[in-house]
Structure formats: C-alpha cells, structure tokens
Amino acid sequence: MCGIAGYFQLKGKTQPDRELIARMINIIRHRGPDEFGVYLDNKCALGQARLSIIDLSAGSQPLANEDGTIWISYNGEVYNYIELRSQLEKAGHKFSTRSDTEVIVHAYEQWGKDCVNHFNGQFAFAIYDKNKQSLFIARDRLGIRPVFYTIHNGRFYFASEIKSIFCDSSVPRKLDFIGLDEIFTWWTTSPPRTAFENINELEAGTYLEITNGNISKKRYWQMEFPETFDNQRSADSWAEELHALLVDSVRLRLRADVPVGGYLSGGLDSSTTVALIKHFTDTKIETFSIAFFDKAYDESDYQNQMADFLSTNHHQIKCSYHDIAENFPRVIWHTERPILRTAPTPLMMLSGLVRQNDFKVVLTGEGADEIFGGYDIFKETLIRKFWAKNPDSAWRPLLLRKLYPTLPLSPARARFYLESFYKAGLSKTDKYYFSHIPRINTTTKIKEYFRDDVKTLLKDYDSVAVFGQDLPGNFNNWHHLAKAQYLEVKSLLSGYLLSSQGDRVAAANSVETRFPFLDHRVLKFAATIPPKYKLFGLKEKYALKKAMSKELPPEIVKRVKQPYMAPDSNSFFQKDSPGYIDEILSEDVIKSGGVFNPTFVTKLKAKCAKLSHAHLSFKDNMSIIGIISTQLLIDQYLDNFRPVEALGREAFKIWHEEI
C-alpha cells in the first residue's frame, strides 16, 4: 500500500509545478512513509509515497520501462506478479527489479489496457505514456485501493486521497448535498460521486484513459451470478474446491519481503485466514485484535481462544468510550466523508497496534460475509421474500423471531417490533433494492435532521435508485439471495467496509490490509455455489463452515455471526468526553454548517447526554454519529483546511525531471 498523486495537462503543455506535487505527496505521506518519488515534465506529474513491501531496495517509484517512455505511480499489490513476470520474460521483456510495479509496466506494454484482466490483486495506478501523450488510471475489481480525480483549469488531478487534490488551493472545496443524501441512504456515495462537489472517485473494476484531451472510462469487471445453479453437486464437493482456492489465495497474499500478520476478531472469517496460514504455509504468524471495555461489544474471549488454539503470538488493544471520542476527528480526517457508526475508530487503533509491533502488512477476513451469505440482511431477505407470498400469514413472520431470539423485549413487543419493522416494503419484491428496504428505512431517518432548505434542495433526488443504474443485464433473473449479495458488495462492501473501515484507517498508520476472500477467483467460485449451501436453513456461511471444519474448533465453526460494532452515542457523552463535541454540536456551529436543523440537533444531543449509559435505537445512534462526522468534515475540509508545506527535494529518493 502506498499513496499516489499527480496531474495531467489536458491540452498543451505547462511549466512543471514542483511545489504542488511535493505538497500533494506530503499530505498523504502516512500512506507510505518509507520513500518519496516524483516524475515531472511539462505535461504530467506523477508522485508517490511508498510503503516498501516487495523488493525493498530497488522497487522505488515512479518507475519506468527500459527506454523511459512509460512511467508508473502505483499503490497496491499484484500478487501473481511472479507468474506474470515469467510470461512477460518469455515474450521478450527485460526486467531491472524484482518488484510487482515493474511487472505492471511491462504488462501494459504487452497487453495495453487489457493488462488489468491479468492481475490478481488490489491496486490503483497511473501510467503516463510519453509516446502517446496519454494517462491511464486503473482501479482493482472491488475498489480495495482508492483513487480520486477532478478536472480544474484544464488540468486533470488524481490522488489516493481527496486532501491531496485540495493541496491546489484553487480547487473548490464544497459539500455535495446529493452525496450526503446518498450516504444517509446507503452508508456510502455511489461512485463517481463523493461527499465533495466535482471530486470524483474512480469506480471499482474500472479504468480511465486520457488521450488528446479526451477522457474515456470503461468497466472491466463486476460481480456476476449465474441464473441457475448446479444443485446436483454435493456440499462436500463445493467445500473441497473452496478450501483449495482459499489456501492458494492465502499463499499468494503472504508474498512480501516484510513480516505479515493477521487480524483475529474471534469470528469465523479471520479465524479461517489465520488457520490457513498456520496449517498450509511456513509463515510464523502474529495476530492482532481489538477488545472493548463495554462487554456488549467485546469478543476477546473468542479471540484468546483462537490465539491459544493456533499458538499465535497474540497482541490485543482495549478500547474505551473515551478512546473512540478522542480519536474520532482523526478518523474523519482519513475517511473524508461522513460515517454512521464509530466502528472505524477502534480499527484505526488496531492498525496503530500493528505498526507499533513493526508490522506493515496484515491479512484480514473482510468479504466472507458478503460472498458466503453471512449477514442477517440475507436471512431477512429470505424470510421477507417467503412472507411476501402471503403477507397476511400469521406464522411466516414468526421466523424473524428465530433471527433475533435475544431481543430485550417481551415476546409480544418483540413480535410487534419485528413484524412492523420488516413488513415495510413487503410488496416491493420487484424492486432491485427489496433486500435492503429495512436498512434504507432506518438510515434515511437521519435526513429528518436536515435543514428545510436542504430538504427542498433534495426533494426531487431519488438516492434509493443510484445503485440500480448499471445493473447487470440479467440481474432480474438472479436468485433473490444473489441480488442481495450483489447489492451488498456494490454498496456497503466497496463504499464503506473497504474504505472508511478498511483502507483509510489502516493507511492512517501506514499499514496494508490484504483480503484472501476477495481474490477474484474466490469471488467467481462463490457466486456459483447454490444458495442452499450458503444459507442452510437459516445457518449462515454453510459452505465455508464445511470447508473449514477440520482446521477450526467447533465453538468457532458453530458460532452465530456477531456483527463487528463499537459503542456509538455513549462514546461522546461521558464526563471525560473531549471538549470539541459541545463545540461542533452548538447551535451556532450547526447553523453555520448549513446542513442540519440546530433545534433538532440540540434535542438529540440532550437525549444522548441523558441516556449516556443506555443503548439507544439504531436511528438515534446513526443520527448522532452522522451529524458529528459531518460537522467534523465541514470543520476540517471546508472551514479550517490545513495546507501542508512542500516536502524538500532532499526528502525524495526519486526526483526525475524531463524538461
């Protein structure tokens, strides 16, 4: 993982802006503090902040081909670089390093834009082709590594983080209210939209090319599901092939010239990755986990059980309410968008623990829930679809009680709550977002706190429709579980879990996360597993549990999924809470922010303070976190954006100018 940044003159040429590119790199140096590099000419600037992981001594960037006509700035890893290098050498390409970066350069020479289809990895890179006077930018299939861009004053700017683009002070910094509307519907914007006007995010699985001043984009990959499944194949057979794929995916993701660790949450997914490292490689694994003082969120007993079972050298950090409130402004500086839960904050503390122990790379279990049917939203979809066939049935909604047997309500009240909550939208089985209606209904209640003029501005915008604009052609023929999985991958996984809760909070501490479940071969195979082997009745991730039954203790395999969460409202309304909270939630500051109704926010703040030791509703928790994070975003990026000094020339290992 690294940071990339630069610009490209759309037409004509200009004097290189050395100071600008040095500022753009300095502000994202947390992504790659090991080395800095720049390429400059009168058309293009490429900058790079490097986290050295492969070929530590010779993999410096920007890096060029043999004759210096193609230059690259690259963030990420292409795990199959050894196999690709062999192919490219047979085709006549000459290499001067052992890095995966150089493999991308030669792959681009060999296959052109189609090179991305040969890569197994997580990446965002920019290639400047001097002969063609073109810029080529590509992003990995699921958008694990970010890249943003804008066009301003005839120049195309790009960077791993938006703050780098804002280093040109002439680039306007304004909130995009439609972007906020999308976040307060889906937890994320729908790319290319971001939380800032005219700042774009390159979509996952997409590349962009600029030639002769014209910009074109093409999507080269997206999640696909079959219309029919092989239901004759046995569960054991599916599990066996899945196991073999996961072993190979883990093996590839251990390729590094530095030690690789593993996150251990105590759940099935991270336990699987660590167990596969333990049993199928010779890597001596060290593990890292987060624990909570609030027992409602704490999984440390399971974490310690797995660490003992696998005999790992285990490291743990414990998180308090105060830790979350104190670190939250820094989290928003890195997420660059409002968030609705505090969950990224403990993960930022966890990546700090990784770094303190001299690790740069960790494997983690994200993605398994989405591709193997682990979330409650998938079970809810099955029940609601079944219920929708007979909406007046008295016993069909009782199945919901099996999902939530421990609700702290009387049986009568629990039934009333579940039925009224999940019955909403029951007649909309033809809508692409049927599976997500309950979540959308909860999330959109945050918009009740918008000012009247903001509500008026957004009254004709349909944020629910945004992820339905480019559905695969045969989407309507898919099984309803497949539709729900596709939408979860497209929205929450790519836009939130891999971003605000993934890349951003790991990069904040110069740590690279790797995801064995998101190997595109695993994704493709998982999509073909029949729904009955993902949700076996209401047992989640059946195929994965079967595949891992020999390497994990039964307590972990049989454990019901516990979603990773952290204390929300409680974190900000304790006696020792930081002073900034009262300030940013004051009526004057809310009013000047121009987003929320000060009177409504004051009432919500009073309620949160009064119930600081109680568990509030999802609506209240998401509302207060959404408001606090939006106010912090306004403060940090609009009102008080802090420009950084340009890095001095002596700080750059590579400084290559061609004028």
Side-chain angles (χ1 to χ4, degrees):
M1 183 209 68
C2 304
I4 63 172
Y7 65 80
F8 185 79
Q9 288 297 128
L10 292 175
K11 292 185 178 177
K13 298 181 178 179
T14 186
Q15 285 295 311
D17 196 335
R18 302 175 182 87
E19 185 173 333
L20 173 61
I21 192 67
R23 284 202 306 271
M24 293 177 80
I25 291 303
N26 194 18
I27 204 167
I28 56 170
R29 61 184 301 164
H30 52 273
R31 299 187 66 89
D34 296 337
E35 289 178 8
F36 308 110
V38 159
Y39 169 88
L40 278 168
D41 67 13
N42 51 19
K43 183 75 175 176
C44 181
L46 301 177
Q48 216 258 2
R50 185 184 182 210
L51 189 70
S52 305
I53 292 173
I54 294 175
D55 195 357
L56 307 187
S57 61
S60 305
Q61 297 185 45
L63 184 149
N65 63 345
E66 300 98 319
D67 62 7
T69 56
I70 294 175
W71 285 82
I72 185 172
S73 182
Y74 161 51
N75 166 27
E77 309 292 342
V78 171
Y79 302 114
N80 61 335
Y81 72 102
I82 294 174
E83 293 78 8
L84 290 176
R85 176 177 175 137
S86 177
Q87 277 184 262
L88 291 163
E89 284 177 332
K90 287 176 183 174
H93 294 267
K94 305 294 183 187
F95 286 77
S96 58
T97 76
R98 295 186 296 106
S99 72
D100 56 335
T101 311
E102 193 177 8
V103 168
I104 296 176
V105 172
H106 291 291
Y108 174 77
E109 287 184 301
Q110 182 69 25
W111 297 303
K113 290 175 283 190
D114 189 50
C115 64
V116 289
N117 288 306
H118 294 259
F119 300 151
N120 182 347
Q122 50 189 43
F123 52 82
F125 60 80
I127 290 179
Y128 174 42
D129 190 327
K130 291 171 59 179
N131 288 334
K132 292 168 59 179
Q133 290 287 281
S134 68
L135 186 72
F136 177 67
I137 296 181
R139 193 177 183 196
D140 63 71
R141 293 170 177 84
L142 286 173
I144 296 171
R145 297 299 161 219
V147 61
F148 299 90
Y149 65 92
T150 193
I151 299 164
H152 178 67
N153 287 340
R155 184 181 274 182
F156 178 92
Y157 298 81
F158 67 92
S160 299
E161 298 186 15
I162 295 169
K163 58 180 69 69
S164 186
I165 295 172
F166 285 158
C167 282
D168 185 332
S169 58
S170 70
V171 175
R173 304 190 310 274
K174 294 182 180 177
L175 278 186
D176 186 327
F177 284 97
I178 291 179
L180 292 186
D181 195 19
E182 293 180 358
I183 290 169
F184 293 156
T185 303
W186 291 99
W187 294 44
T188 177
T189 56
S190 174
R193 191 179 297 279
T194 69
F196 297 100
E197 276 189 17
N198 298 319
I199 302 295
N200 302 292
E201 178 178 5
L202 185 63
E203 297 91 330
T206 301
Y207 60 72
L208 175 155
E209 188 177 43
I210 306 174
T211 53
N212 299 320
N214 299 313
I215 301 174
S216 60
K217 283 198 299 186
K218 182 178 180 181
R219 184 174 59 203
Y220 66 89
W221 187 91
Q222 68 174 341
M223 194 80 186
E224 298 272 4
F225 290 85
E227 295 182 20
T228 59
F229 296 91
D230 181 0
N231 285 301
Q232 302 304 311
R233 186 172 172 182
S234 70
D236 286 336
S237 174
W238 287 105
E240 183 181 358
E241 186 171 348
L242 172 61
H243 187 275
L245 268 174
L246 287 175
V247 168
D248 197 56
S249 175
V250 167
R251 180 185 63 81
L252 285 181
R253 279 154 184 78
L254 291 174
R255 285 178 169 173
D257 294 327
V258 296
V260 178
Y263 280 167
L264 196 55
S265 71
L268 174 68
D269 311 333
S270 62
S271 299
T272 292
T273 57
V274 175
L276 292 178
I277 295 171
K278 173 81 176 180
H279 293 295
F280 294 94
T281 75
D282 57 3
T283 299
K284 187 178 179 182
I285 186 72
E286 296 201 23
T287 50
F288 302 86
S289 66
I290 187 90
F292 291 96
F293 286 97
D294 188 333
K295 289 295 182 185
Y297 305 91
D298 187 60
E299 297 182 78
S300 56
D301 287 346
Y302 290 104
Q303 295 161 3
N304 295 332
Q305 179 186 352
M306 272 309 299
D308 290 343
F309 181 78
L310 296 172
S311 302
T312 70
N313 185 17
H314 190 57
H315 310 269
Q316 193 175 75
I317 188 170
K318 202 164 186 177
C319 179
S320 67
Y321 294 153
H322 186 81
D323 291 329
I324 291 174
E326 188 173 62
N327 284 290
F328 201 63
R330 184 174 169 228
V331 167
I332 302 306
W333 172 251
H334 287 286
T335 63
E336 301 182 320
R337 64 177 60 177
I339 57 177
L340 309 183
R341 286 284 173 80
T342 62
T345 315
L347 285 172
M348 189 177 75
M349 295 171 61
L350 182 58
S351 69
L353 178 68
V354 171
R355 193 66 191 186
Q356 289 164 19
N357 284 276
D358 297 325
F359 277 74
K360 297 179 180 179
V361 182
V362 286
L363 266 59
T364 180
E366 269 83 4
D369 287 313
E370 290 80 1
I371 64 174
F372 296 118
Y375 288 135
D376 285 340
I377 198 171
F378 301 131
K379 301 176 190 174
E380 294 159 6
T381 299
L382 295 185
I383 293 173
R384 292 176 67 245
K385 185 79 176 176
F386 179 58
W387 185 9
K389 292 178 181 176
N390 184 359
D392 297 325
S393 169
W395 68 269
R396 292 191 183 202
L398 294 179
L399 292 170
L400 291 165
R401 198 72 177 99
K402 290 192 172 182
L403 285 187
Y404 304 104
T406 59
L407 275 181
L409 300 170
S410 67
R413 287 189 63 199
R415 179 175 177 178
F416 173 78
Y417 165 76
L418 290 171
E419 289 191 22
S420 58
F421 183 73
Y422 288 108
K423 194 166 189 176
L426 210 60
S427 63
K428 298 180 179 179
T429 54
D430 61 330
K431 301 298 184 185
Y432 85 97
Y433 54 84
F434 172 77
S435 56
H436 284 60
I437 287 175
R439 182 190 291 169
I440 290 170
N441 286 346
T442 303
T443 308
T444 53
K445 287 185 170 57
I446 306 173
K447 299 177 199 175
E448 294 172 3
Y449 291 91
F450 279 165
R451 287 167 37 145
D452 287 344
D453 56 340
V454 175
K455 291 177 182 174
T456 301
L457 178 73
L458 297 170
K459 67 182 176 60
D460 295 325
Y461 184 68
D462 183 6
S463 57
V464 174
V466 295
F467 284 102
Q469 294 171 352
D470 57 352
L471 297 172
N474 59 346
F475 177 85
N476 289 330
N477 298 330
W478 290 356
H479 189 279
H480 42 275
L481 177 60
K483 292 177 184 176
Q485 288 183 270
Y486 170 88
L487 195 51
E488 192 71 352
V489 168
K490 188 92 170 177
S491 58
L492 197 76
L493 178 65
S494 288
Y496 172 74
L497 294 175
L498 295 177
S499 176
S500 299
Q501 201 167 295
D503 172 271
R504 297 316 190 81
V505 289
N509 289 307
S510 312
V511 169
E512 175 177 291
T513 43
R514 298 180 173 185
F515 309 91
F517 291 111
L518 298 182
D519 184 314
H520 69 280
R521 300 169 304 165
V522 178
L523 293 170
K524 185 177 180 180
F525 177 76
T528 66
I529 297 175
K532 66 179 181 181
Y533 293 143
K534 291 173 183 168
L535 285 175
F536 190 73
L538 290 179
K539 294 178 181 176
E540 74 273 9
K541 293 186 285 195
Y542 180 73
L544 178 61
K545 289 178 176 179
K546 202 167 190 56
M548 293 303 300
S549 59
K550 294 179 182 175
E551 279 102 27
L552 296 176
E555 297 84 356
I556 296 296
V557 173
K558 293 178 181 176
R559 189 183 172 204
V560 176
K561 168 76 180 176
Q562 177 175 335
Y564 164 69
M565 296 176 66
D568 288 314
S569 170
N570 309 83
S571 303
F572 297 91
F573 299 97
Q574 303 297 324
K575 288 182 179 177
D576 64 345
S577 293
Y580 76 85
I581 300 160
D582 279 337
E583 183 179 342
I584 63 168
L585 294 181
S586 70
E587 291 208 12
D588 287 345
V589 174
I590 292 289
K591 186 176 181 181
S592 69
V595 178
F596 302 107
N597 182 309
T599 304
F600 293 173
V601 173
T602 298
K603 289 181 179 176
L604 178 62
K605 178 187 169 189
K607 182 178 182 181
C608 293
K610 183 179 179 181
L611 300 173
S612 61
H613 295 287
H615 288 252
L616 297 184
S617 67
F618 287 134
K619 175 202 167 188
D620 287 341
N621 268 318
M622 285 198 289
S623 296
I624 195 66
I625 303 306
I627 291 166
I628 292 173
S629 58
T630 303
Q631 291 297 117
L632 286 170
L633 193 77
I634 292 170
D635 175 68
Q636 294 177 345
Y637 281 91
L638 304 189
D639 296 342
N640 297 297
F641 184 70
R642 295 167 296 177
V644 295
E645 298 291 326
L647 274 177
R649 185 78 63 90
E650 70 284 355
F652 288 85
K653 183 173 182 179
I654 303 288
W655 188 281
H656 187 96
E657 286 192 29
E658 294 185 11
I659 309 300

